[in-house]
mmCIF file of all heavy atoms in Angstrom:
data_model
loop_
_atom_site.group_PDB
_atom_site.id
_atom_site.type_symbol
_atom_site.label_atom_id
_atom_site.label_comp_id
_atom_site.label_asym_id
_atom_site.label_seq_id
_atom_site.Cartn_x
_atom_site.Cartn_y
_atom_site.Cartn_z
ATOM 1 N N SER A 239 -11.427 24.842 -17.614
ATOM 2 C CA SER A 239 -11.944 25.543 -18.796
ATOM 3 C C SER A 239 -11.432 26.969 -18.925
ATOM 4 O O SER A 239 -11.563 27.578 -19.995
ATOM 5 C CB SER A 239 -13.475 25.545 -18.772
ATOM 6 O OG SER A 239 -13.958 26.181 -17.599
ATOM 7 N N ASN A 240 -10.861 27.532 -17.859
ATOM 8 C CA ASN A 240 -10.308 28.894 -17.914
ATOM 9 C C ASN A 240 -8.783 28.912 -17.823
ATOM 10 O O ASN A 240 -8.190 29.985 -17.665
ATOM 11 C CB ASN A 240 -10.883 29.745 -16.776
ATOM 12 C CG ASN A 240 -12.351 30.013 -16.948
ATOM 13 O OD1 ASN A 240 -12.816 30.334 -18.050
ATOM 14 N ND2 ASN A 240 -13.111 29.864 -15.871
ATOM 15 N N PHE A 241 -8.157 27.757 -17.918
ATOM 16 C CA PHE A 241 -6.710 27.693 -17.722
ATOM 17 C C PHE A 241 -5.964 28.602 -18.701
ATOM 18 O O PHE A 241 -5.092 29.375 -18.310
ATOM 19 C CB PHE A 241 -6.221 26.250 -17.879
ATOM 20 C CG PHE A 241 -4.728 26.108 -17.791
ATOM 21 C CD1 PHE A 241 -4.092 26.054 -16.569
ATOM 22 C CD2 PHE A 241 -3.945 26.054 -18.939
ATOM 23 C CE1 PHE A 241 -2.719 25.946 -16.478
ATOM 24 C CE2 PHE A 241 -2.572 25.940 -18.862
ATOM 25 C CZ PHE A 241 -1.953 25.890 -17.623
ATOM 26 N N GLY A 242 -6.276 28.501 -19.978
ATOM 27 C CA GLY A 242 -5.585 29.324 -20.971
ATOM 28 C C GLY A 242 -5.835 30.807 -20.778
ATOM 29 O O GLY A 242 -4.899 31.611 -20.829
ATOM 30 N N THR A 243 -7.082 31.178 -20.541
ATOM 31 C CA THR A 243 -7.426 32.590 -20.331
ATOM 32 C C THR A 243 -6.674 33.167 -19.144
ATOM 33 O O THR A 243 -6.149 34.288 -19.200
ATOM 34 C CB THR A 243 -8.947 32.727 -20.120
ATOM 35 O OG1 THR A 243 -9.627 32.252 -21.286
ATOM 36 C CG2 THR A 243 -9.321 34.171 -19.855
ATOM 37 N N ASP A 244 -6.587 32.390 -18.055
ATOM 38 C CA ASP A 244 -5.905 32.864 -16.840
ATOM 39 C C ASP A 244 -4.403 32.992 -17.026
ATOM 40 O O ASP A 244 -3.728 33.667 -16.239
ATOM 41 C CB ASP A 244 -6.186 31.914 -15.674
ATOM 42 C CG ASP A 244 -7.646 31.930 -15.246
ATOM 43 O OD1 ASP A 244 -8.347 32.913 -15.587
ATOM 44 O OD2 ASP A 244 -8.075 30.962 -14.585
ATOM 45 N N HIS A 245 -3.847 32.353 -18.063
ATOM 46 C CA HIS A 245 -2.393 32.368 -18.265
ATOM 47 C C HIS A 245 -1.989 33.012 -19.591
ATOM 48 O O HIS A 245 -0.883 32.772 -20.085
ATOM 49 C CB HIS A 245 -1.835 30.940 -18.201
ATOM 50 C CG HIS A 245 -1.939 30.307 -16.846
ATOM 51 N ND1 HIS A 245 -3.073 29.671 -16.410
ATOM 52 C CD2 HIS A 245 -1.042 30.210 -15.828
ATOM 53 C CE1 HIS A 245 -2.871 29.208 -15.183
ATOM 54 N NE2 HIS A 245 -1.646 29.513 -14.800
ATOM 55 N N GLY A 246 -2.885 33.809 -20.165
ATOM 56 C CA GLY A 246 -2.543 34.513 -21.400
ATOM 57 C C GLY A 246 -2.545 33.651 -22.641
ATOM 58 O O GLY A 246 -1.962 34.025 -23.660
ATOM 59 N N HIS A 247 -3.204 32.488 -22.566
ATOM 60 C CA HIS A 247 -3.314 31.598 -23.716
ATOM 61 C C HIS A 247 -4.783 31.257 -23.971
ATOM 62 O O HIS A 247 -5.133 30.109 -24.236
ATOM 63 C CB HIS A 247 -2.501 30.321 -23.489
ATOM 64 C CG HIS A 247 -1.030 30.496 -23.689
ATOM 65 N ND1 HIS A 247 -0.349 29.995 -24.769
ATOM 66 C CD2 HIS A 247 -0.096 31.131 -22.932
ATOM 67 C CE1 HIS A 247 0.934 30.306 -24.676
ATOM 68 N NE2 HIS A 247 1.114 30.990 -23.560
ATOM 69 N N GLY A 248 -5.646 32.257 -23.884
ATOM 70 C CA GLY A 248 -7.059 32.061 -24.149
ATOM 71 C C GLY A 248 -7.389 32.212 -25.625
ATOM 72 O O GLY A 248 -6.511 32.466 -26.460
ATOM 73 N N PRO A 249 -8.665 32.096 -25.981
ATOM 74 C CA PRO A 249 -9.068 32.114 -27.396
ATOM 75 C C PRO A 249 -8.814 33.440 -28.097
ATOM 76 O O PRO A 249 -8.715 33.480 -29.321
ATOM 77 C CB PRO A 249 -10.563 31.795 -27.330
ATOM 78 C CG PRO A 249 -10.974 32.117 -25.934
ATOM 79 C CD PRO A 249 -9.794 31.833 -25.083
ATOM 80 N N SER A 250 -8.708 34.556 -27.373
ATOM 81 C CA SER A 250 -8.507 35.863 -28.014
ATOM 82 C C SER A 250 -7.101 36.419 -27.798
ATOM 83 O O SER A 250 -6.843 37.582 -28.064
ATOM 84 C CB SER A 250 -9.531 36.864 -27.470
ATOM 85 O OG SER A 250 -9.387 37.022 -26.064
ATOM 86 N N SER A 251 -6.178 35.556 -27.343
ATOM 87 C CA SER A 251 -4.843 36.044 -26.995
ATOM 88 C C SER A 251 -3.888 36.069 -28.171
ATOM 89 O O SER A 251 -2.834 36.689 -28.105
ATOM 90 C CB SER A 251 -4.241 35.165 -25.891
ATOM 91 O OG SER A 251 -4.008 33.860 -26.385
ATOM 92 N N GLY A 252 -4.220 35.373 -29.256
ATOM 93 C CA GLY A 252 -3.273 35.231 -30.359
ATOM 94 C C GLY A 252 -2.308 34.082 -30.163
ATOM 95 O O GLY A 252 -1.557 33.727 -31.069
ATOM 96 N N ASN A 253 -2.297 33.489 -28.946
ATOM 97 C CA ASN A 253 -1.494 32.295 -28.677
ATOM 98 C C ASN A 253 -2.364 31.045 -28.828
ATOM 99 O O ASN A 253 -3.550 31.134 -29.156
ATOM 100 C CB ASN A 253 -0.923 32.349 -27.254
ATOM 101 C CG ASN A 253 -0.008 33.540 -27.051
ATOM 102 O OD1 ASN A 253 0.835 33.815 -27.893
ATOM 103 N ND2 ASN A 253 -0.196 34.251 -25.941
ATOM 104 N N SER A 254 -1.795 29.888 -28.584
ATOM 105 C CA SER A 254 -2.583 28.660 -28.591
ATOM 106 C C SER A 254 -3.657 28.744 -27.508
ATOM 107 O O SER A 254 -3.406 29.223 -26.399
ATOM 108 C CB SER A 254 -1.678 27.456 -28.332
ATOM 109 O OG SER A 254 -0.701 27.334 -29.330
ATOM 110 N N ASP A 255 -4.868 28.293 -27.819
ATOM 111 C CA ASP A 255 -5.959 28.275 -26.853
ATOM 112 C C ASP A 255 -5.826 27.033 -25.972
ATOM 113 O O ASP A 255 -6.048 25.914 -26.434
ATOM 114 C CB ASP A 255 -7.301 28.272 -27.591
ATOM 115 C CG ASP A 255 -8.492 28.289 -26.630
ATOM 116 O OD1 ASP A 255 -8.268 28.381 -25.411
ATOM 117 O OD2 ASP A 255 -9.633 28.201 -27.110
ATOM 118 N N LEU A 256 -5.460 27.247 -24.697
ATOM 119 C CA LEU A 256 -5.218 26.130 -23.788
ATOM 120 C C LEU A 256 -6.385 25.867 -22.852
ATOM 121 O O LEU A 256 -6.273 25.037 -21.948
ATOM 122 C CB LEU A 256 -3.954 26.394 -22.961
ATOM 123 C CG LEU A 256 -2.661 26.656 -23.744
ATOM 124 C CD1 LEU A 256 -1.480 26.768 -22.795
ATOM 125 C CD2 LEU A 256 -2.414 25.572 -24.789
ATOM 126 N N ASN A 257 -7.526 26.549 -23.043
ATOM 127 C CA ASN A 257 -8.685 26.325 -22.173
ATOM 128 C C ASN A 257 -9.199 24.890 -22.318
ATOM 129 O O ASN A 257 -9.440 24.407 -23.421
ATOM 130 C CB ASN A 257 -9.810 27.291 -22.519
ATOM 131 C CG ASN A 257 -9.536 28.700 -22.039
ATOM 132 O OD1 ASN A 257 -8.673 28.907 -21.193
ATOM 133 N ND2 ASN A 257 -10.271 29.660 -22.566
ATOM 134 N N GLY A 258 -9.367 24.202 -21.175
ATOM 135 C CA GLY A 258 -9.943 22.860 -21.169
ATOM 136 C C GLY A 258 -9.111 21.807 -21.858
ATOM 137 O O GLY A 258 -9.635 20.741 -22.208
#
Side-chain angles (χ1 to χ4, degrees):
S239 59
N240 292 316
F241 176 82
T243 299
D244 293 341
H245 293 84
H247 282 253
S250 60
S251 66
N253 299 315
S254 299
D255 181 4
L256 303 185
N257 286 343

